[in-house]
Amino acid sequence: MLLRAIGGCARLKSFSRKSWTPLTNTHSIDRDPSIGVAAFRHPKRVHARFSPASAASTTMTETSVTYLNQKDAISVDEELMGPLGFSVDQLMELAGLSVACSLASEYPQTSHRSVLVIAGPGNNGGDGLVAARHLHHFGYDVKIAYPKPTDKPLYNGLVTQCKALGIDFVLVEDLQGVPLRESFDVIVDSIFGFSFQGDPRPPFDVILEMLKPSARPCPIVSVDIPSGWQVETGDEKGDGLQPEMLVSLTAPKLCAKHFTGPHHYLGGRFVPQAIKTKYNLNLPSYPFSSQCVKIEGDGTPAVSDMRLSYTVGSLDETEVTQDPIHQFKIWFSDATKDPGIKEANAMTLATADPSGKPSARIVLLKGVAERGFVFYTNFNSRKGSELVGNGQAALCFFWEPLQRQVRIEGSVEMLPESESVEYFNSRPRSSRIGAWASEQSSVIKDRSVLEQDAKELSEKFSDESVAVPKPPHWGGFLVRPNSVEFWQGRPSRLHDRLRYRKDGDEGWAIERLSP
């Protein structure tokens, strides 16, 4: 019986992006040559596309994971243990560890202390023996049923290791007569793998009967394939095991599509990129150093399991300037130079209506200077009306590759008309026409209404020797900050937070905030 390939893709955070650079700033709204945000735009932004190669290296959160058929699963095994240099015991050790970690994630030893590992005669059984050893070290009370041991050095060594820890081996006869749920809290099913075919032979036929739903067993954790299932079609007879947890190894096999339990995990994380590319494997990313990752029903990782460890940098009072605008420009410059950040000037703008009901959206920063932060919008839009009516706003920048964010709070005022006109005239002609075509935030019948308006306005302004005038309902806003917070991610969620708070008419007080 071939060993099933185990492992998964390491976290792939970055992906190849089309490079871009700021255009020369000939219309800087704040007359500040050091920043030039007004001209900071992707030269081919509207038509940018990702290639299949770049899309394949993004974190998989929106497409289903790959399900392997039996032929490909066997081929992956052969390549791992052939030209890629892995040994059976290496793969088995990582498989068993990932099974133990998956079990511990859902069944803590404080509430599910007693575990029965049922090991089959092949490599699935070897995975179970390794899992038993790790579960013992995790603090579980483990017993092993190994009715048909394989007499080979690898398996004999695993048995010796378990016995040396004091793990009891029990006979099948000892398990009969009393429902398993009365003696154990969790059962690890590591009996048969994806090479299993036909009907189970004694004593495994008796064991599988004790694990069927009609026997009302305790929760079952199946390793790679629920024992008795067919690798591609699942429980063909409809009366087989129905485990609560399935720990798929390498990638889920096709039968995993028929798994209906609440806990589906992917175990192992060492498959080389060559294997992932050759077999077009879409796999969820493992959180930081985890040996397993939970998969949602649509093949994406469980949201609760998605996390990063922030280790890129730190932020200390001795490292920052006394002025928040100057400090922002330093961080903004870092962000513009990072190839993983496409729009460093993208920011969340939060507003509220007179009743206090909030709303937020992403807009683009178009200027920053001592007076504050500048952006442009339609005055008749929801954000425009809320900015005028409330007079307060909050901004937030998040630069994920740098593990940094900047939060800004302050008062809002409209820019002088002359500044709005100057910036408007610097925009591409199609964008200027778009500002006339869109009655932002208003309800329209369908997209054809917008496209028809844009077409009619393009015809109206077809003479390119004549400038497109700025609409009276469009212009700029200035956020004058009274609070600016710089946030740097740190390990264990002990982040660095330094807040500049307006202190009188001139200065700023710098305060460290608890994370």
Side-chain angles (χ1 to χ4, degrees), residues 433-490:
I433 293 174
W436 280 97
S438 173
E439 296 182 13
Q440 197 174 106
S441 298
S442 63
V443 177
I444 58 177
K445 180 182 179 180
D446 53 38
R447 183 171 178 82
S448 64
V449 174
L450 182 64
E451 293 175 344
Q452 181 61 32
D453 287 346
K455 180 181 179 181
E456 293 175 359
L457 286 163
S458 294
E459 294 172 353
K460 177 179 179 180
F461 297 117
S462 59
D463 185 355
E464 295 195 7
S465 65
V466 179
V468 178
K470 183 188 79 65
H473 56 265
W474 191 97
F477 285 98
L478 168 69
V479 177
R480 292 189 182 274
N482 52 49
S483 173
V484 182
E485 179 188 329
F486 294 84
W487 180 98
Q488 177 70 60
R490 296 295 301 277

Side-chain angles (χ1 to χ4, degrees), residues 35-231:
I35 197 74
V37 185
F40 204 85
R41 52 176 78 94
H42 195 308
K44 295 184 179 180
R45 182 175 164 197
V46 175
H47 304 290
R49 292 289 185 272
F50 291 112
S51 68
S54 66
S57 56
T58 61
T59 300
M60 299 308 301
T61 57
E62 56 190 48
T63 58
S64 297
V65 299
T66 303
Y67 291 81
L68 290 176
N69 60 34
Q70 187 171 30
K71 178 182 177 182
D72 286 345
I74 292 174
S75 297
V76 169
D77 272 352
E78 292 173 342
E79 293 195 41
L80 285 170
M81 293 185 290
L84 294 175
F86 288 94
S87 62
V88 172
D89 53 340
Q90 284 179 317
L91 299 178
M92 193 174 289
E93 182 65 32
L94 288 169
L97 175 59
S98 66
V99 170
C101 291
S102 299
L103 184 152
S105 296
E106 300 293 344
Y107 307 106
Q109 59 94 9
T110 52
S111 58
H112 295 75
R113 182 175 177 80
S114 181
V115 178
L116 173 65
V117 176
I118 307 178
N123 291 315
N124 237 49
D127 296 343
L129 295 174
V130 173
R133 170 161 42 83
H134 286 292
L135 289 169
H136 171 84
H137 289 304
F138 291 172
Y140 290 87
D141 180 10
V142 182
K143 287 182 172 55
I144 299 173
Y146 193 22
K148 293 286 186 179
T150 301
D151 188 16
K152 292 183 179 180
L154 172 58
Y155 300 92
N156 293 338
L158 293 175
V159 171
T160 299
Q161 293 163 19
C162 291
K163 288 183 175 180
L165 294 173
I167 299 175
D168 291 333
F169 282 71
V170 299
L171 301 175
V172 174
E173 305 88 80
D174 297 333
L175 301 176
Q176 295 176 288
V178 178
L180 294 177
R181 67 179 179 276
E182 296 184 12
S183 302
F184 303 98
D185 299 314
V186 185
I187 296 172
V188 175
D189 158 36
S190 58
I191 304 173
F192 301 131
F194 63 70
S195 295
F196 171 81
Q197 292 181 346
D199 295 322
R201 298 176 181 177
F204 298 108
D205 54 348
V206 174
I207 294 174
L208 292 183
E209 286 297 324
M210 292 190 288
L211 300 181
K212 289 183 177 181
S214 58
R216 298 173 56 207
C218 56
I220 297 173
V221 176
S222 287
V223 178
D224 206 27
I225 305 287
S227 291
W229 285 28
Q230 300 302 310
V231 63

Side-chain angles (χ1 to χ4, degrees), residues 11 13-15 17 59 308-310 312 335 338 340-341 397-405 487-488:
R11 175 169 288 280
K13 288 175 51 183
S14 61
F15 53 91
R17 295 177 168 97
T59 300
L308 290 175
S309 180
Y310 297 105
V312 170
D338 191 300
I341 301 174
F397 295 83
F398 179 56
W399 299 307
E400 188 272 336
L402 298 176
Q403 297 176 353
R404 289 175 173 176
Q405 63 176 311
W487 180 98
Q488 177 70 60

